[in-house]
Amino acid sequence: MKRVAILTFLALVVWQVYGQFKAGKFATLMPATPAASAPVGYTPAPAGGFSCDRRTHCAQMTSCAEARYFQQNCRDADLEIDAAGVPCARRWCTSPDAP
């Protein structure tokens, strides 16, 4: 008899919760849209569009601006730097106004 009473009580509780769920009472507990989250390890690209990756040498760069970015921001970069501190001077940064 005790089991019947417990099962009846549980059935009533489930019925009440289901009725409230169906009426939308629990909708306020959950946000309408999930919050946007970035993937693990994601780092947004800087304004210039460059980001530190596995490239470390001047031969792997595509412009003087990219070489300068790597020189200033990427600690693993092993670029050729001339006496004036210009990176990749023989390959990309051949003139003072090189892009």
Side-chain angles (χ1 to χ4, degrees):
M1 187 70 179
K2 193 174 183 178
R3 280 187 182 175
V4 173
I6 292 173
L7 288 175
T8 304
F9 176 74
L10 288 175
L12 287 172
V13 169
V14 168
W15 180 56
Q16 287 293 322
V17 170
Y18 176 73
Q20 290 180 2
F21 175 75
K22 194 172 179 183
K25 300 236 179 186
F26 293 112
T28 58
L29 297 177
M30 295 185 294
T33 57
S37 62
V40 175
Y42 172 77
T43 305
F50 306 121
S51 63
C52 297
D53 51 25
R54 294 182 181 203
R55 295 176 295 156
T56 57
H57 300 287
C58 291
Q60 298 167 320
M61 303 295 138
T62 58
S63 68
C64 182
E66 187 176 36
R68 287 185 181 131
Y69 176 84
F70 271 74
Q71 177 190 20
Q72 295 171 357
N73 300 295
C74 308
R75 62 181 173 89
D76 294 334
D78 186 24
L79 305 174
E80 301 168 12
I81 299 172
D82 68 2
V86 178
C88 305
R90 290 188 293 162
R91 186 175 190 112
W92 295 110
C93 304
T94 56
S95 66
D97 55 331

Short mmCIF file of all heavy atoms in Angstrom, two decimals, residues 31-67:
data_model
loop_
_atom_site.label_atom_id
_atom_site.label_comp_id
_atom_site.label_asym_id
_atom_site.label_seq_id
_atom_site.Cartn_x
_atom_site.Cartn_y
_atom_site.Cartn_z
N PRO A 31 17.79 30.97 -21.49
CA PRO A 31 17.84 32.06 -22.47
C PRO A 31 17.23 31.61 -23.80
O PRO A 31 17.27 30.43 -24.15
CB PRO A 31 19.32 32.37 -22.61
CG PRO A 31 20.02 31.14 -22.15
CD PRO A 31 19.11 30.50 -21.13
N ALA A 32 16.67 32.55 -24.54
CA ALA A 32 16.05 32.23 -25.83
C ALA A 32 17.08 31.71 -26.82
O ALA A 32 16.81 30.80 -27.59
CB ALA A 32 15.35 33.47 -26.38
N THR A 33 18.26 32.31 -26.82
CA THR A 33 19.34 31.85 -27.69
C THR A 33 20.57 31.62 -26.85
O THR A 33 20.84 32.36 -25.91
CB THR A 33 19.67 32.89 -28.78
OG1 THR A 33 20.01 34.13 -28.15
CG2 THR A 33 18.50 33.12 -29.71
N PRO A 34 21.33 30.60 -27.16
CA PRO A 34 22.54 30.35 -26.38
C PRO A 34 23.56 31.47 -26.58
O PRO A 34 23.62 32.08 -27.64
CB PRO A 34 23.06 29.02 -26.93
CG PRO A 34 22.41 28.86 -28.25
CD PRO A 34 21.13 29.64 -28.21
N ALA A 35 24.33 31.73 -25.56
CA ALA A 35 25.37 32.76 -25.64
C ALA A 35 26.45 32.31 -26.61
O ALA A 35 26.84 31.15 -26.63
CB ALA A 35 25.96 33.01 -24.27
N ALA A 36 26.92 33.23 -27.43
CA ALA A 36 27.98 32.91 -28.37
C ALA A 36 29.28 32.75 -27.61
O ALA A 36 29.63 33.57 -26.76
CB ALA A 36 28.12 34.02 -29.41
N SER A 37 29.99 31.69 -27.90
CA SER A 37 31.26 31.48 -27.24
C SER A 37 32.30 31.12 -28.29
O SER A 37 32.00 30.51 -29.31
CB SER A 37 31.16 30.36 -26.20
OG SER A 37 30.80 29.15 -26.84
N ALA A 38 33.50 31.52 -28.03
CA ALA A 38 34.59 31.24 -28.95
C ALA A 38 35.12 29.84 -28.68
O ALA A 38 35.08 29.36 -27.56
CB ALA A 38 35.70 32.26 -28.75
N PRO A 39 35.62 29.17 -29.72
CA PRO A 39 36.21 27.86 -29.52
C PRO A 39 37.41 27.93 -28.58
O PRO A 39 38.06 28.97 -28.48
CB PRO A 39 36.66 27.44 -30.92
CG PRO A 39 36.02 28.39 -31.86
CD PRO A 39 35.63 29.60 -31.09
N VAL A 40 37.70 26.86 -27.93
CA VAL A 40 38.83 26.80 -27.00
C VAL A 40 40.12 27.06 -27.78
O VAL A 40 40.34 26.49 -28.84
CB VAL A 40 38.90 25.43 -26.31
CG1 VAL A 40 40.13 25.32 -25.45
CG2 VAL A 40 37.64 25.21 -25.51
N GLY A 41 40.95 27.93 -27.26
CA GLY A 41 42.22 28.25 -27.90
C GLY A 41 42.11 29.29 -28.99
O GLY A 41 43.08 29.61 -29.65
N TYR A 42 40.95 29.85 -29.20
CA TYR A 42 40.75 30.84 -30.25
C TYR A 42 41.30 32.19 -29.82
O TYR A 42 41.04 32.66 -28.73
CB TYR A 42 39.25 30.98 -30.55
CG TYR A 42 38.92 32.11 -31.47
CD1 TYR A 42 39.15 32.01 -32.83
CD2 TYR A 42 38.40 33.30 -30.98
CE1 TYR A 42 38.85 33.05 -33.68
CE2 TYR A 42 38.09 34.34 -31.83
CZ TYR A 42 38.32 34.21 -33.17
OH TYR A 42 38.03 35.24 -34.01
N THR A 43 42.06 32.79 -30.69
CA THR A 43 42.57 34.13 -30.47
C THR A 43 42.18 34.96 -31.68
O THR A 43 42.54 34.61 -32.80
CB THR A 43 44.11 34.14 -30.33
OG1 THR A 43 44.46 33.22 -29.30
CG2 THR A 43 44.62 35.51 -30.01
N PRO A 44 41.44 36.03 -31.49
CA PRO A 44 41.02 36.82 -32.64
C PRO A 44 42.21 37.43 -33.37
O PRO A 44 43.20 37.79 -32.75
CB PRO A 44 40.12 37.89 -32.04
CG PRO A 44 40.43 37.92 -30.60
CD PRO A 44 40.97 36.58 -30.24
N ALA A 45 42.09 37.53 -34.67
CA ALA A 45 43.16 38.12 -35.47
C ALA A 45 43.21 39.62 -35.23
O ALA A 45 42.20 40.26 -35.06
CB ALA A 45 42.92 37.83 -36.94
N PRO A 46 44.41 40.19 -35.19
CA PRO A 46 44.53 41.64 -35.01
C PRO A 46 44.04 42.39 -36.25
O PRO A 46 43.71 41.79 -37.26
CB PRO A 46 46.03 41.83 -34.78
CG PRO A 46 46.67 40.64 -35.39
CD PRO A 46 45.69 39.52 -35.28
N ALA A 47 44.02 43.70 -36.15
CA ALA A 47 43.48 44.54 -37.21
C ALA A 47 44.17 44.29 -38.55
O ALA A 47 43.54 44.36 -39.59
CB ALA A 47 43.60 46.00 -36.81
N GLY A 48 45.46 44.02 -38.56
CA GLY A 48 46.18 43.81 -39.81
C GLY A 48 45.89 42.46 -40.43
O GLY A 48 46.31 42.19 -41.56
N GLY A 49 45.21 41.60 -39.73
CA GLY A 49 44.89 40.29 -40.26
C GLY A 49 45.97 39.25 -40.02
O GLY A 49 45.84 38.12 -40.43
N PHE A 50 47.05 39.63 -39.37
CA PHE A 50 48.13 38.69 -39.12
C PHE A 50 47.95 38.05 -37.74
O PHE A 50 47.31 38.62 -36.86
CB PHE A 50 49.49 39.41 -39.14
CG PHE A 50 49.74 40.20 -40.39
CD1 PHE A 50 49.97 41.56 -40.32
CD2 PHE A 50 49.73 39.59 -41.63
CE1 PHE A 50 50.20 42.30 -41.47
CE2 PHE A 50 49.96 40.32 -42.78
CZ PHE A 50 50.20 41.68 -42.70
N SER A 51 48.50 36.87 -37.59
CA SER A 51 48.51 36.23 -36.28
C SER A 51 49.74 35.35 -36.19
O SER A 51 50.24 34.85 -37.20
CB SER A 51 47.24 35.40 -36.07
OG SER A 51 47.17 34.36 -37.02
N CYS A 52 50.23 35.17 -34.98
CA CYS A 52 51.41 34.34 -34.77
C CYS A 52 51.04 32.88 -35.05
O CYS A 52 50.06 32.37 -34.53
CB CYS A 52 51.90 34.49 -33.33
SG CYS A 52 52.43 36.16 -32.94
N ASP A 53 51.82 32.26 -35.90
CA ASP A 53 51.61 30.85 -36.19
C ASP A 53 52.98 30.17 -36.20
O ASP A 53 53.90 30.66 -35.57
CB ASP A 53 50.84 30.67 -37.50
CG ASP A 53 51.45 31.45 -38.66
OD1 ASP A 53 52.66 31.74 -38.62
OD2 ASP A 53 50.71 31.78 -39.61
N ARG A 54 53.12 29.11 -36.90
CA ARG A 54 54.37 28.35 -36.86
C ARG A 54 55.46 28.91 -37.76
O ARG A 54 56.58 28.42 -37.76
CB ARG A 54 54.09 26.90 -37.23
CG ARG A 54 53.22 26.23 -36.20
CD ARG A 54 52.99 24.81 -36.53
NE ARG A 54 52.13 24.23 -35.51
CZ ARG A 54 52.07 22.97 -35.24
NH1 ARG A 54 52.82 22.12 -35.91
NH2 ARG A 54 51.27 22.52 -34.30
N ARG A 55 55.15 29.94 -38.53
CA ARG A 55 56.17 30.51 -39.40
C ARG A 55 57.17 31.30 -38.57
O ARG A 55 56.79 32.03 -37.66
CB ARG A 55 55.53 31.41 -40.46
CG ARG A 55 54.64 30.60 -41.40
CD ARG A 55 53.92 31.46 -42.38
NE ARG A 55 52.98 32.33 -41.66
CZ ARG A 55 52.55 33.47 -42.13
NH1 ARG A 55 52.97 33.92 -43.29
NH2 ARG A 55 51.69 34.19 -41.44
N THR A 56 58.43 31.16 -38.89
CA THR A 56 59.46 31.83 -38.10
C THR A 56 60.53 32.52 -38.94
O THR A 56 61.32 33.28 -38.40
CB THR A 56 60.18 30.82 -37.18
OG1 THR A 56 60.74 29.78 -37.98
CG2 THR A 56 59.22 30.22 -36.16
N HIS A 57 60.58 32.27 -40.25
CA HIS A 57 61.66 32.81 -41.08
C HIS A 57 61.13 33.75 -42.16
O HIS A 57 59.97 33.67 -42.56
CB HIS A 57 62.44 31.66 -41.74
CG HIS A 57 63.06 30.73 -40.75
ND1 HIS A 57 64.15 31.06 -40.00
CD2 HIS A 57 62.70 29.48 -40.36
CE1 HIS A 57 64.46 30.05 -39.21
NE2 HIS A 57 63.59 29.09 -39.40
N CYS A 58 61.99 34.62 -42.66
CA CYS A 58 61.62 35.59 -43.68
C CYS A 58 61.07 34.92 -44.94
O CYS A 58 60.16 35.46 -45.58
CB CYS A 58 62.82 36.45 -44.04
SG CYS A 58 63.33 37.56 -42.71
N ALA A 59 61.59 33.77 -45.30
CA ALA A 59 61.14 33.07 -46.50
C ALA A 59 59.67 32.65 -46.38
O ALA A 59 59.01 32.41 -47.38
CB ALA A 59 62.02 31.85 -46.76
N GLN A 60 59.17 32.59 -45.17
CA GLN A 60 57.78 32.17 -44.95
C GLN A 60 56.82 33.36 -44.88
O GLN A 60 55.61 33.16 -44.85
CB GLN A 60 57.70 31.35 -43.66
CG GLN A 60 58.53 30.08 -43.71
CD GLN A 60 58.68 29.45 -42.34
OE1 GLN A 60 58.85 30.14 -41.35
NE2 GLN A 60 58.60 28.13 -42.32
N MET A 61 57.33 34.57 -44.86
CA MET A 61 56.49 35.77 -44.79
C MET A 61 56.00 36.13 -46.19
O MET A 61 56.54 35.67 -47.19
CB MET A 61 57.26 36.95 -44.20
CG MET A 61 57.85 36.72 -42.83
SD MET A 61 56.59 36.48 -41.59
CE MET A 61 57.29 35.14 -40.67
N THR A 62 54.98 36.97 -46.26
CA THR A 62 54.44 37.37 -47.56
C THR A 62 54.52 38.87 -47.80
O THR A 62 54.19 39.34 -48.88
CB THR A 62 52.96 36.94 -47.69
OG1 THR A 62 52.22 37.52 -46.63
CG2 THR A 62 52.82 35.43 -47.65
N SER A 63 54.95 39.65 -46.78
CA SER A 63 55.07 41.09 -46.96
C SER A 63 55.94 41.67 -45.84
O SER A 63 56.20 41.02 -44.83
CB SER A 63 53.70 41.78 -46.93
OG SER A 63 53.15 41.68 -45.63
N CYS A 64 56.32 42.91 -46.04
CA CYS A 64 57.10 43.61 -45.02
C CYS A 64 56.24 43.86 -43.78
O CYS A 64 56.71 43.71 -42.66
CB CYS A 64 57.63 44.93 -45.58
SG CYS A 64 58.64 45.86 -44.41
N ALA A 65 54.97 44.19 -43.99
CA ALA A 65 54.07 44.44 -42.86
C ALA A 65 53.92 43.19 -42.00
O ALA A 65 53.91 43.26 -40.77
CB ALA A 65 52.71 44.90 -43.37
N GLU A 66 53.84 42.04 -42.66
CA GLU A 66 53.74 40.80 -41.91
C GLU A 66 55.02 40.51 -41.14
O GLU A 66 54.99 40.09 -39.98
CB GLU A 66 53.43 39.65 -42.88
CG GLU A 66 53.14 38.34 -42.17
CD GLU A 66 52.73 37.27 -43.16
OE1 GLU A 66 53.26 37.22 -44.29
OE2 GLU A 66 51.88 36.46 -42.78
N ALA A 67 56.15 40.77 -41.76
CA ALA A 67 57.44 40.56 -41.09
C ALA A 67 57.55 41.47 -39.87
O ALA A 67 58.01 41.05 -38.80
CB ALA A 67 58.59 40.82 -42.06
#
